[in-house]
Amino acid sequence: MIPPTVLDLAAVWTPNPAHPYTWSRFFGLAAVVVGSAIAVIGLYAGITTWRGLTPDRRRRQLRPIAVMAGVFLVLGGAIAAFGVWLF
């Protein structure tokens, strides 16, 4: 007897014959995953750095941390958007 979870996973990963899974879709999905990871890691790094500072240094370091997190978010968002377009 096959467990029901295996049947569910098989149903999810069965390709649609009308939309074949090609290399462009694979790279599009990979770009979405990588871009999302870059954005989340950049946001996490900014928040963690901000929380790790002493209260007297937080005000002076706000702009560099915000720029760093913003660059990661924009870069990750652009890569993810390209992946969505390609997918």
Side-chain angles (χ1 to χ4, degrees), residues 20-48:
Y21 197 76
T22 60
W23 281 108
S24 65
R25 291 190 63 177
F26 169 76
F27 287 122
L29 182 61
V32 169
V33 170
V34 169
S36 299
I38 289 172
V40 169
I41 289 169
L43 188 62
Y44 177 76
I47 291 171
T48 304

Side-chain angles (χ1 to χ4, degrees), residues 20-79:
Y21 197 76
T22 60
W23 281 108
S24 65
R25 291 190 63 177
F26 169 76
F27 287 122
L29 182 61
V32 169
V33 170
V34 169
S36 299
I38 289 172
V40 169
I41 289 169
L43 188 62
Y44 177 76
I47 291 171
T48 304
T49 304
W50 173 258
R51 289 182 179 172
L53 293 174
T54 57
D56 58 336
R57 291 186 59 202
R58 283 187 179 179
R59 185 174 177 98
R60 288 181 297 160
Q61 297 297 323
L62 177 62
R63 186 173 295 143
I65 291 172
V67 168
M68 183 266 311
V71 166
F72 274 94
L73 285 172
V74 168
L75 181 66
I79 292 172

Side-chain angles (χ1 to χ4, degrees), residues 1 12 15 22:
M1 176 82 187
V12 169
T22 60

